[in-house]
Amino acid sequence: MKKRATYGVIGLGKFGFHVAKGLIEQGQSVIIADQEEEKVKEFASLISMAYILDSTDKDALEESGFARIDYAIVSIGEDIESSILTVMALKELEIKQIIAKAITPVHGKILAKLGANKIIYPERESAANLIKGFLSHPDFEITDISNTISIARIKISQKSSGQLISDIAKRAKAIGIKRVDSGWNLEPNS
């Protein structure tokens, strides 16, 4: 039987909070940490391995179980120094997979040189995905329900009128169609 991966999320700001919550909701084994007690308390009912600690302190990370994780996600926001020192501490603990949030390109280069396996720029990446999706399908309104399911509302224009939905939305499965002049058809393929 394959060993289940364990995750550590350090920094529970806007991005880190959603990463930790998403992993927990998916049933993953997660350790979380932040310096602020209030942020850690939000997870008290969801997880038993939540710590208030200084993530730049290698010993504190080791004592709280971060030395045994498979993936570390460093989501420290504006405090670039803490972000860098946390990645250094995780490298000293020999964590193999470190994903780190960067604020600036220089910050990202430093994290990469320290050994972070993946550098993410959440705001930049979200903006790029929004623009890409909007430009390729401006009449789509997409809402994510889970990591694998999204709902797309597609406004059919004069240009796309008469086309098959499978041609308009290549990777979508239609589960319902509503016409302006009538009700819902929940069996659009029949």
Side-chain angles (χ1 to χ4, degrees):
M1 187 161 98
K2 186 177 176 184
K3 177 186 168 269
R4 196 168 105 171
T6 55
Y7 300 86
V9 179
I10 300 171
L12 298 172
K14 293 173 188 167
F15 179 72
F17 174 87
H18 291 289
V19 169
K21 191 169 186 255
L23 288 167
I24 292 165
E25 287 172 350
Q26 294 295 316
Q28 300 301 317
S29 176
V30 184
I31 300 174
I32 62 169
D34 197 284
Q35 284 188 319
E36 294 182 33
E37 182 178 355
E38 288 304 312
K39 290 181 178 180
V40 175
K41 277 184 178 179
E42 290 185 54
F43 285 92
S45 65
L46 300 174
I47 189 171
S48 62
M49 298 185 72
Y51 300 96
I52 303 162
L53 57 77
D54 175 3
S55 62
T56 67
D57 181 346
K58 179 186 135 205
D59 294 332
L61 289 172
E62 189 169 19
E63 288 174 22
S64 59
F66 279 87
R68 297 181 301 277
I69 62 173
D70 299 304
Y71 297 90
I73 298 132
V74 179
S75 178
I76 297 173
E78 299 298 319
D79 189 348
I80 292 173
E81 181 180 356
S82 289
S83 168
I84 291 167
L85 295 174
T86 297
V87 169
M88 284 179 60
L90 291 166
K91 287 306 286 183
E92 288 179 17
L93 291 173
E94 300 180 1
I95 305 301
K96 301 284 187 259
Q97 294 294 319
I98 300 172
I99 301 162
K101 173 183 169 180
I103 304 301
T104 67
V106 172
H107 181 204
K109 285 180 185 178
I110 292 168
L111 294 172
K113 288 202 182 279
L114 290 172
N117 305 85
K118 181 171 176 70
I119 310 301
I120 55 173
Y121 301 86
E123 292 84 1
R124 185 188 309 172
E125 292 170 15
S126 291
N129 287 337
L130 176 68
I131 291 167
K132 179 181 172 187
F134 183 74
L135 291 177
S136 63
H137 301 289
D139 295 328
F140 276 37
E141 180 182 308
I142 299 174
T143 304
D144 290 329
I145 294 180
S146 72
N147 287 344
T148 57
I149 300 173
S150 297
I151 294 177
R153 180 179 174 189
I154 306 168
K155 183 177 179 181
I156 304 299
S157 64
Q158 193 68 25
K159 179 178 134 186
S160 55
S161 180
Q163 291 181 339
L164 294 173
I165 289 182
S166 59
D167 291 336
I168 297 168
K170 300 281 186 218
R171 295 179 357 159
K173 177 181 179 189
I175 58 170
I177 295 175
K178 177 158 184 359
R179 290 178 171 55
V180 174
D181 57 345
S182 65
W184 281 93
N185 175 3
L186 297 179
E187 297 180 42
N189 298 322
S190 59

